[in-house]
Amino acid sequence: MAGGNAASTLNMAVGATFVLSGFVHLALLERSANILAFRMPNVLFSFAMGLLILTFGMYGRVSGGLPHDNPYWRRRHPEQAAREERRREEIAAGERRREETAAGERRAAPGAETAHARPAVRGGTAAGARGVAGGARELRGHAAPGERP
């Protein structure tokens, strides 16, 4: 099964053939050379289908503002595409270095591991340390109706 460039090129060729067929049969209307007995609806159908198929073939390929990651743009501008790819790789390498440096600094900071290991205690009770909603009520000494104090 064909895809990518081959499908796009084939669609453009078939679409152009339909449009050309429409013009030829338009010229042959009301003539003895019209052996297929084409009429105006057939000509309009050829034009419409030709333009539709041609449009599908050009989709993503022909535009004034193709994005730089588009394969057709990359093929038309190989030097600039290579420069942009190198620049993206440099940026990615710099980000990896920054992440590695930041991770190393976090490990080297005193008390970094223990800060994550200690639970945060709210209100100084075990319920508050576990994050239980009734922890604050336990501090006040009373609970809501239906709760155990």
Side-chain angles (χ1 to χ4, degrees):
M1 186 174 218
N5 268 346
S8 175
T9 303
L10 181 65
N11 276 342
M12 289 194 315
V14 169
T17 303
F18 263 90
V19 171
L20 182 62
S21 167
F23 279 117
V24 168
H25 288 100
L26 183 63
L28 294 177
L29 286 178
E30 305 295 328
R31 307 245 164 121
S32 61
N34 187 2
I35 57 173
L36 296 176
F38 264 65
R39 295 186 334 211
M40 187 53 82
N42 303 104
V43 172
L44 294 177
F45 176 81
S46 290
F47 283 141
M49 288 308 296
L51 289 174
L52 184 70
I53 295 170
L54 193 61
T55 301
F56 286 150
M58 289 188 286
Y59 183 77
R61 185 173 190 163
V62 178
S63 172
L66 291 175
H68 291 198
D69 62 347
N70 183 295
Y72 298 110
W73 183 91
R74 295 174 70 76
R75 181 167 298 137
R76 291 180 197 143
H77 306 93
E79 298 87 16
Q80 188 174 352
R83 282 193 307 267
E84 288 182 5
E85 183 64 30
R86 281 193 304 273
R87 181 70 182 136
R88 274 193 291 273
E89 289 172 1
E90 290 171 2
I91 290 170
E95 288 174 1
R96 281 192 302 271
R97 281 192 301 271
R98 278 193 298 277
E99 288 173 3
E100 290 170 0
T101 303
E105 289 173 359
R106 282 192 302 267
R107 277 181 288 212
E113 289 91 9
T114 58
H116 295 296
R118 288 191 306 247
V121 177
R122 292 185 305 190
T125 67
R130 288 192 314 265
V132 175
R137 285 189 215 103
E138 283 183 15
L139 282 176
R140 290 191 300 258
H142 60 280
E147 287 185 357
R148 288 187 294 174

PDB file of all heavy atoms in Angstrom, residues 19-49:
ATOM      1  N   VAL A  19      -9.627  16.916 -14.209  1.00  0.00           N
ATOM      2  CA  VAL A  19      -9.860  18.293 -14.661  1.00  0.00           C
ATOM      3  C   VAL A  19      -9.606  18.388 -16.170  1.00  0.00           C
ATOM      4  O   VAL A  19     -10.397  18.992 -16.911  1.00  0.00           O
ATOM      5  CB  VAL A  19      -8.977  19.287 -13.874  1.00  0.00           C
ATOM      6  CG1 VAL A  19      -9.038  20.669 -14.481  1.00  0.00           C
ATOM      7  CG2 VAL A  19      -9.403  19.326 -12.414  1.00  0.00           C
ATOM      8  N   LEU A  20      -8.501  17.781 -16.621  1.00  0.00           N
ATOM      9  CA  LEU A  20      -8.192  17.798 -18.058  1.00  0.00           C
ATOM     10  C   LEU A  20      -9.295  17.093 -18.848  1.00  0.00           C
ATOM     11  O   LEU A  20      -9.718  17.576 -19.916  1.00  0.00           O
ATOM     12  CB  LEU A  20      -6.839  17.127 -18.290  1.00  0.00           C
ATOM     13  CG  LEU A  20      -6.339  17.105 -19.727  1.00  0.00           C
ATOM     14  CD1 LEU A  20      -6.139  18.532 -20.229  1.00  0.00           C
ATOM     15  CD2 LEU A  20      -5.054  16.316 -19.825  1.00  0.00           C
ATOM     16  N   SER A  21      -9.798  15.982 -18.323  1.00  0.00           N
ATOM     17  CA  SER A  21     -10.900  15.254 -18.965  1.00  0.00           C
ATOM     18  C   SER A  21     -12.139  16.152 -19.070  1.00  0.00           C
ATOM     19  O   SER A  21     -12.843  16.134 -20.090  1.00  0.00           O
ATOM     20  CB  SER A  21     -11.225  13.996 -18.165  1.00  0.00           C
ATOM     21  OG  SER A  21     -12.440  13.439 -18.570  1.00  0.00           O
ATOM     22  N   GLY A  22     -12.394  16.931 -18.035  1.00  0.00           N
ATOM     23  CA  GLY A  22     -13.528  17.856 -18.074  1.00  0.00           C
ATOM     24  C   GLY A  22     -13.393  18.868 -19.187  1.00  0.00           C
ATOM     25  O   GLY A  22     -14.357  19.150 -19.912  1.00  0.00           O
ATOM     26  N   PHE A  23     -12.170  19.419 -19.355  1.00  0.00           N
ATOM     27  CA  PHE A  23     -11.960  20.394 -20.434  1.00  0.00           C
ATOM     28  C   PHE A  23     -12.103  19.751 -21.808  1.00  0.00           C
ATOM     29  O   PHE A  23     -12.695  20.329 -22.724  1.00  0.00           O
ATOM     30  CB  PHE A  23     -10.580  21.056 -20.310  1.00  0.00           C
ATOM     31  CG  PHE A  23     -10.533  22.164 -19.306  1.00  0.00           C
ATOM     32  CD1 PHE A  23      -9.713  22.067 -18.195  1.00  0.00           C
ATOM     33  CD2 PHE A  23     -11.302  23.307 -19.475  1.00  0.00           C
ATOM     34  CE1 PHE A  23      -9.667  23.082 -17.267  1.00  0.00           C
ATOM     35  CE2 PHE A  23     -11.258  24.341 -18.557  1.00  0.00           C
ATOM     36  CZ  PHE A  23     -10.442  24.228 -17.443  1.00  0.00           C
ATOM     37  N   VAL A  24     -11.558  18.540 -21.965  1.00  0.00           N
ATOM     38  CA  VAL A  24     -11.648  17.858 -23.264  1.00  0.00           C
ATOM     39  C   VAL A  24     -13.110  17.583 -23.608  1.00  0.00           C
ATOM     40  O   VAL A  24     -13.560  17.853 -24.729  1.00  0.00           O
ATOM     41  CB  VAL A  24     -10.822  16.551 -23.239  1.00  0.00           C
ATOM     42  CG1 VAL A  24     -11.138  15.676 -24.446  1.00  0.00           C
ATOM     43  CG2 VAL A  24      -9.344  16.860 -23.175  1.00  0.00           C
ATOM     44  N   HIS A  25     -13.847  17.063 -22.636  1.00  0.00           N
ATOM     45  CA  HIS A  25     -15.243  16.742 -22.921  1.00  0.00           C
ATOM     46  C   HIS A  25     -16.104  17.999 -23.062  1.00  0.00           C
ATOM     47  O   HIS A  25     -17.120  17.965 -23.764  1.00  0.00           O
ATOM     48  CB  HIS A  25     -15.788  15.774 -21.876  1.00  0.00           C
ATOM     49  CG  HIS A  25     -15.222  14.407 -22.044  1.00  0.00           C
ATOM     50  ND1 HIS A  25     -14.188  13.947 -21.268  1.00  0.00           N
ATOM     51  CD2 HIS A  25     -15.497  13.425 -22.942  1.00  0.00           C
ATOM     52  CE1 HIS A  25     -13.861  12.729 -21.662  1.00  0.00           C
ATOM     53  NE2 HIS A  25     -14.646  12.387 -22.683  1.00  0.00           N
ATOM     54  N   LEU A  26     -15.696  19.076 -22.435  1.00  0.00           N
ATOM     55  CA  LEU A  26     -16.398  20.346 -22.650  1.00  0.00           C
ATOM     56  C   LEU A  26     -16.226  20.789 -24.099  1.00  0.00           C
ATOM     57  O   LEU A  26     -17.161  21.273 -24.736  1.00  0.00           O
ATOM     58  CB  LEU A  26     -15.856  21.411 -21.689  1.00  0.00           C
ATOM     59  CG  LEU A  26     -16.519  22.778 -21.728  1.00  0.00           C
ATOM     60  CD1 LEU A  26     -17.990  22.669 -21.308  1.00  0.00           C
ATOM     61  CD2 LEU A  26     -15.788  23.735 -20.809  1.00  0.00           C
ATOM     62  N   ALA A  27     -15.037  20.579 -24.633  1.00  0.00           N
ATOM     63  CA  ALA A  27     -14.777  20.951 -26.027  1.00  0.00           C
ATOM     64  C   ALA A  27     -15.516  20.025 -26.995  1.00  0.00           C
ATOM     65  O   ALA A  27     -15.854  20.436 -28.119  1.00  0.00           O
ATOM     66  CB  ALA A  27     -13.280  20.909 -26.303  1.00  0.00           C
ATOM     67  N   LEU A  28     -15.767  18.792 -26.569  1.00  0.00           N
ATOM     68  CA  LEU A  28     -16.415  17.823 -27.461  1.00  0.00           C
ATOM     69  C   LEU A  28     -17.931  17.827 -27.391  1.00  0.00           C
ATOM     70  O   LEU A  28     -18.574  17.115 -28.177  1.00  0.00           O
ATOM     71  CB  LEU A  28     -15.909  16.406 -27.139  1.00  0.00           C
ATOM     72  CG  LEU A  28     -14.438  16.125 -27.427  1.00  0.00           C
ATOM     73  CD1 LEU A  28     -14.075  14.723 -27.002  1.00  0.00           C
ATOM     74  CD2 LEU A  28     -14.145  16.332 -28.910  1.00  0.00           C
ATOM     75  N   LEU A  29     -18.508  18.600 -26.497  1.00  0.00           N
ATOM     76  CA  LEU A  29     -19.970  18.643 -26.393  1.00  0.00           C
ATOM     77  C   LEU A  29     -20.566  19.076 -27.736  1.00  0.00           C
ATOM     78  O   LEU A  29     -20.030  19.954 -28.420  1.00  0.00           O
ATOM     79  CB  LEU A  29     -20.413  19.615 -25.299  1.00  0.00           C
ATOM     80  CG  LEU A  29     -20.218  19.162 -23.862  1.00  0.00           C
ATOM     81  CD1 LEU A  29     -20.661  20.267 -22.904  1.00  0.00           C
ATOM     82  CD2 LEU A  29     -20.969  17.887 -23.573  1.00  0.00           C
ATOM     83  N   GLU A  30     -21.704  18.463 -28.102  1.00  0.00           N
ATOM     84  CA  GLU A  30     -22.434  18.811 -29.323  1.00  0.00           C
ATOM     85  C   GLU A  30     -21.614  18.555 -30.588  1.00  0.00           C
ATOM     86  O   GLU A  30     -21.828  19.195 -31.611  1.00  0.00           O
ATOM     87  CB  GLU A  30     -22.891  20.277 -29.291  1.00  0.00           C
ATOM     88  CG  GLU A  30     -23.719  20.661 -28.077  1.00  0.00           C
ATOM     89  CD  GLU A  30     -25.059  19.946 -28.017  1.00  0.00           C
ATOM     90  OE1 GLU A  30     -25.642  19.649 -29.074  1.00  0.00           O
ATOM     91  OE2 GLU A  30     -25.503  19.654 -26.891  1.00  0.00           O
ATOM     92  N   ARG A  31     -20.656  17.636 -30.528  1.00  0.00           N
ATOM     93  CA  ARG A  31     -19.844  17.291 -31.702  1.00  0.00           C
ATOM     94  C   ARG A  31     -19.972  15.798 -31.967  1.00  0.00           C
ATOM     95  O   ARG A  31     -20.291  15.010 -31.081  1.00  0.00           O
ATOM     96  CB  ARG A  31     -18.365  17.625 -31.465  1.00  0.00           C
ATOM     97  CG  ARG A  31     -18.113  19.036 -31.031  1.00  0.00           C
ATOM     98  CD  ARG A  31     -17.327  19.766 -32.085  1.00  0.00           C
ATOM     99  NE  ARG A  31     -17.448  21.196 -31.815  1.00  0.00           N
ATOM    100  CZ  ARG A  31     -16.434  21.970 -31.589  1.00  0.00           C
ATOM    101  NH1 ARG A  31     -15.227  21.495 -31.584  1.00  0.00           N
ATOM    102  NH2 ARG A  31     -16.634  23.248 -31.388  1.00  0.00           N
ATOM    103  N   SER A  32     -19.622  15.404 -33.161  1.00  0.00           N
ATOM    104  CA  SER A  32     -19.690  13.982 -33.509  1.00  0.00           C
ATOM    105  C   SER A  32     -18.560  13.183 -32.849  1.00  0.00           C
ATOM    106  O   SER A  32     -18.665  11.968 -32.713  1.00  0.00           O
ATOM    107  CB  SER A  32     -19.643  13.807 -35.027  1.00  0.00           C
ATOM    108  OG  SER A  32     -18.420  14.321 -35.535  1.00  0.00           O
ATOM    109  N   ALA A  33     -17.503  13.844 -32.403  1.00  0.00           N
ATOM    110  CA  ALA A  33     -16.384  13.152 -31.747  1.00  0.00           C
ATOM    111  C   ALA A  33     -16.709  12.772 -30.305  1.00  0.00           C
ATOM    112  O   ALA A  33     -15.928  12.065 -29.664  1.00  0.00           O
ATOM    113  CB  ALA A  33     -15.137  14.031 -31.771  1.00  0.00           C
ATOM    114  N   ASN A  34     -17.861  13.167 -29.804  1.00  0.00           N
ATOM    115  CA  ASN A  34     -18.271  12.864 -28.431  1.00  0.00           C
ATOM    116  C   ASN A  34     -18.795  11.426 -28.386  1.00  0.00           C
ATOM    117  O   ASN A  34     -19.984  11.177 -28.239  1.00  0.00           O
ATOM    118  CB  ASN A  34     -19.334  13.874 -27.975  1.00  0.00           C
ATOM    119  CG  ASN A  34     -19.679  13.729 -26.508  1.00  0.00           C
ATOM    120  OD1 ASN A  34     -19.111  12.914 -25.798  1.00  0.00           O
ATOM    121  ND2 ASN A  34     -20.632  14.534 -26.069  1.00  0.00           N
ATOM    122  N   ILE A  35     -17.878  10.459 -28.496  1.00  0.00           N
ATOM    123  CA  ILE A  35     -18.274   9.054 -28.595  1.00  0.00           C
ATOM    124  C   ILE A  35     -18.784   8.495 -27.267  1.00  0.00           C
ATOM    125  O   ILE A  35     -19.491   7.499 -27.244  1.00  0.00           O
ATOM    126  CB  ILE A  35     -17.118   8.182 -29.125  1.00  0.00           C
ATOM    127  CG1 ILE A  35     -15.897   8.327 -28.231  1.00  0.00           C
ATOM    128  CG2 ILE A  35     -16.793   8.558 -30.574  1.00  0.00           C
ATOM    129  CD1 ILE A  35     -14.778   7.387 -28.590  1.00  0.00           C
ATOM    130  N   LEU A  36     -18.428   9.101 -26.154  1.00  0.00           N
ATOM    131  CA  LEU A  36     -18.901   8.639 -24.845  1.00  0.00           C
ATOM    132  C   LEU A  36     -20.210   9.314 -24.439  1.00  0.00           C
ATOM    133  O   LEU A  36     -20.722   9.065 -23.352  1.00  0.00           O
ATOM    134  CB  LEU A  36     -17.836   8.883 -23.770  1.00  0.00           C
ATOM    135  CG  LEU A  36     -16.534   8.097 -23.948  1.00  0.00           C
ATOM    136  CD1 LEU A  36     -15.539   8.505 -22.876  1.00  0.00           C
ATOM    137  CD2 LEU A  36     -16.797   6.603 -23.878  1.00  0.00           C
ATOM    138  N   ALA A  37     -20.743  10.148 -25.310  1.00  0.00           N
ATOM    139  CA  ALA A  37     -22.007  10.854 -25.100  1.00  0.00           C
ATOM    140  C   ALA A  37     -21.994  11.661 -23.801  1.00  0.00           C
ATOM    141  O   ALA A  37     -22.944  11.659 -23.025  1.00  0.00           O
ATOM    142  CB  ALA A  37     -23.184   9.876 -25.121  1.00  0.00           C
ATOM    143  N   PHE A  38     -20.898  12.354 -23.554  1.00  0.00           N
ATOM    144  CA  PHE A  38     -20.799  13.219 -22.369  1.00  0.00           C
ATOM    145  C   PHE A  38     -21.780  14.369 -22.526  1.00  0.00           C
ATOM    146  O   PHE A  38     -21.970  14.901 -23.617  1.00  0.00           O
ATOM    147  CB  PHE A  38     -19.374  13.768 -22.236  1.00  0.00           C
ATOM    148  CG  PHE A  38     -18.504  12.987 -21.314  1.00  0.00           C
ATOM    149  CD1 PHE A  38     -18.161  11.683 -21.593  1.00  0.00           C
ATOM    150  CD2 PHE A  38     -18.018  13.569 -20.159  1.00  0.00           C
ATOM    151  CE1 PHE A  38     -17.361  10.964 -20.751  1.00  0.00           C
ATOM    152  CE2 PHE A  38     -17.213  12.860 -19.304  1.00  0.00           C
ATOM    153  CZ  PHE A  38     -16.872  11.548 -19.596  1.00  0.00           C
ATOM    154  N   ARG A  39     -22.394  14.735 -21.409  1.00  0.00           N
ATOM    155  CA  ARG A  39     -23.259  15.909 -21.360  1.00  0.00           C
ATOM    156  C   ARG A  39     -22.707  16.837 -20.283  1.00  0.00           C
ATOM    157  O   ARG A  39     -21.736  16.522 -19.609  1.00  0.00           O
ATOM    158  CB  ARG A  39     -24.689  15.475 -21.034  1.00  0.00           C
ATOM    159  CG  ARG A  39     -25.287  14.614 -22.141  1.00  0.00           C
ATOM    160  CD  ARG A  39     -26.734  14.305 -21.884  1.00  0.00           C
ATOM    161  NE  ARG A  39     -27.008  14.367 -20.440  1.00  0.00           N
ATOM    162  CZ  ARG A  39     -27.919  13.644 -19.816  1.00  0.00           C
ATOM    163  NH1 ARG A  39     -28.648  12.807 -20.475  1.00  0.00           N
ATOM    164  NH2 ARG A  39     -28.114  13.763 -18.527  1.00  0.00           N
ATOM    165  N   MET A  40     -23.352  17.978 -20.104  1.00  0.00           N
ATOM    166  CA  MET A  40     -22.851  18.978 -19.157  1.00  0.00           C
ATOM    167  C   MET A  40     -22.743  18.432 -17.725  1.00  0.00           C
ATOM    168  O   MET A  40     -21.753  18.718 -17.045  1.00  0.00           O
ATOM    169  CB  MET A  40     -23.722  20.238 -19.206  1.00  0.00           C
ATOM    170  CG  MET A  40     -23.153  21.370 -18.381  1.00  0.00           C
ATOM    171  SD  MET A  40     -21.440  21.772 -18.772  1.00  0.00           S
ATOM    172  CE  MET A  40     -21.646  22.798 -20.182  1.00  0.00           C
ATOM    173  N   PRO A  41     -23.686  17.645 -17.192  1.00  0.00           N
ATOM    174  CA  PRO A  41     -23.506  17.115 -15.834  1.00  0.00           C
ATOM    175  C   PRO A  41     -22.240  16.247 -15.695  1.00  0.00           C
ATOM    176  O   PRO A  41     -21.578  16.278 -14.649  1.00  0.00           O
ATOM    177  CB  PRO A  41     -24.758  16.266 -15.599  1.00  0.00           C
ATOM    178  CG  PRO A  41     -25.787  16.849 -16.498  1.00  0.00           C
ATOM    179  CD  PRO A  41     -25.025  17.335 -17.701  1.00  0.00           C
ATOM    180  N   ASN A  42     -21.894  15.514 -16.774  1.00  0.00           N
ATOM    181  CA  ASN A  42     -20.671  14.714 -16.738  1.00  0.00           C
ATOM    182  C   ASN A  42     -19.434  15.603 -16.674  1.00  0.00           C
ATOM    183  O   ASN A  42     -18.470  15.300 -15.972  1.00  0.00           O
ATOM    184  CB  ASN A  42     -20.581  13.805 -17.970  1.00  0.00           C
ATOM    185  CG  ASN A  42     -21.765  12.895 -18.105  1.00  0.00           C
ATOM    186  OD1 ASN A  42     -22.631  13.125 -18.921  1.00  0.00           O
ATOM    187  ND2 ASN A  42     -21.814  11.869 -17.262  1.00  0.00           N
ATOM    188  N   VAL A  43     -19.453  16.697 -17.410  1.00  0.00           N
ATOM    189  CA  VAL A  43     -18.327  17.635 -17.415  1.00  0.00           C
ATOM    190  C   VAL A  43     -18.181  18.271 -16.033  1.00  0.00           C
ATOM    191  O   VAL A  43     -17.070  18.349 -15.484  1.00  0.00           O
ATOM    192  CB  VAL A  43     -18.528  18.709 -18.509  1.00  0.00           C
ATOM    193  CG1 VAL A  43     -17.479  19.796 -18.393  1.00  0.00           C
ATOM    194  CG2 VAL A  43     -18.499  18.070 -19.889  1.00  0.00           C
ATOM    195  N   LEU A  44     -19.303  18.717 -15.461  1.00  0.00           N
ATOM    196  CA  LEU A  44     -19.242  19.329 -14.124  1.00  0.00           C
ATOM    197  C   LEU A  44     -18.761  18.328 -13.076  1.00  0.00           C
ATOM    198  O   LEU A  44     -17.991  18.681 -12.176  1.00  0.00           O
ATOM    199  CB  LEU A  44     -20.617  19.890 -13.752  1.00  0.00           C
ATOM    200  CG  LEU A  44     -21.102  21.060 -14.602  1.00  0.00           C
ATOM    201  CD1 LEU A  44     -22.509  21.472 -14.178  1.00  0.00           C
ATOM    202  CD2 LEU A  44     -20.137  22.211 -14.505  1.00  0.00           C
ATOM    203  N   PHE A  45     -19.198  17.080 -13.195  1.00  0.00           N
ATOM    204  CA  PHE A  45     -18.727  16.046 -12.277  1.00  0.00           C
ATOM    205  C   PHE A  45     -17.211  15.865 -12.421  1.00  0.00           C
ATOM    206  O   PHE A  45     -16.499  15.742 -11.412  1.00  0.00           O
ATOM    207  CB  PHE A  45     -19.450  14.720 -12.548  1.00  0.00           C
ATOM    208  CG  PHE A  45     -18.947  13.595 -11.700  1.00  0.00           C
ATOM    209  CD1 PHE A  45     -19.377  13.447 -10.396  1.00  0.00           C
ATOM    210  CD2 PHE A  45     -18.028  12.688 -12.212  1.00  0.00           C
ATOM    211  CE1 PHE A  45     -18.901  12.415  -9.603  1.00  0.00           C
ATOM    212  CE2 PHE A  45     -17.543  11.650 -11.436  1.00  0.00           C
ATOM    213  CZ  PHE A  45     -17.975  11.510 -10.126  1.00  0.00           C
ATOM    214  N   SER A  46     -16.700  15.837 -13.630  1.00  0.00           N
ATOM    215  CA  SER A  46     -15.258  15.686 -13.848  1.00  0.00           C
ATOM    216  C   SER A  46     -14.490  16.840 -13.209  1.00  0.00           C
ATOM    217  O   SER A  46     -13.454  16.634 -12.568  1.00  0.00           O
ATOM    218  CB  SER A  46     -14.942  15.624 -15.346  1.00  0.00           C
ATOM    219  OG  SER A  46     -15.407  14.430 -15.895  1.00  0.00           O
ATOM    220  N   PHE A  47     -14.986  18.064 -13.389  1.00  0.00           N
ATOM    221  CA  PHE A  47     -14.331  19.219 -12.773  1.00  0.00           C
ATOM    222  C   PHE A  47     -14.361  19.122 -11.240  1.00  0.00           C
ATOM    223  O   PHE A  47     -13.340  19.319 -10.581  1.00  0.00           O
ATOM    224  CB  PHE A  47     -14.999  20.533 -13.209  1.00  0.00           C
ATOM    225  CG  PHE A  47     -14.637  20.974 -14.589  1.00  0.00           C
ATOM    226  CD1 PHE A  47     -15.583  21.542 -15.414  1.00  0.00           C
ATOM    227  CD2 PHE A  47     -13.342  20.850 -15.069  1.00  0.00           C
ATOM    228  CE1 PHE A  47     -15.256  21.974 -16.690  1.00  0.00           C
ATOM    229  CE2 PHE A  47     -12.997  21.273 -16.332  1.00  0.00           C
ATOM    230  CZ  PHE A  47     -13.964  21.832 -17.155  1.00  0.00           C
ATOM    231  N   ALA A  48     -15.546  18.827 -10.701  1.00  0.00           N
ATOM    232  CA  ALA A  48     -15.687  18.787  -9.234  1.00  0.00           C
ATOM    233  C   ALA A  48     -14.809  17.694  -8.622  1.00  0.00           C
ATOM    234  O   ALA A  48     -14.084  17.930  -7.642  1.00  0.00           O
ATOM    235  CB  ALA A  48     -17.155  18.579  -8.859  1.00  0.00           C
ATOM    236  N   MET A  49     -14.867  16.491  -9.179  1.00  0.00           N
ATOM    237  CA  MET A  49     -14.059  15.396  -8.619  1.00  0.00           C
ATOM    238  C   MET A  49     -12.574  15.654  -8.827  1.00  0.00           C
ATOM    239  O   MET A  49     -11.746  15.342  -7.965  1.00  0.00           O
ATOM    240  CB  MET A  49     -14.463  14.057  -9.250  1.00  0.00           C
ATOM    241  CG  MET A  49     -15.809  13.557  -8.772  1.00  0.00           C
ATOM    242  SD  MET A  49     -15.982  13.495  -6.965  1.00  0.00           S
ATOM    243  CE  MET A  49     -14.768  12.306  -6.542  1.00  0.00           C
TER     244      MET A  49
END
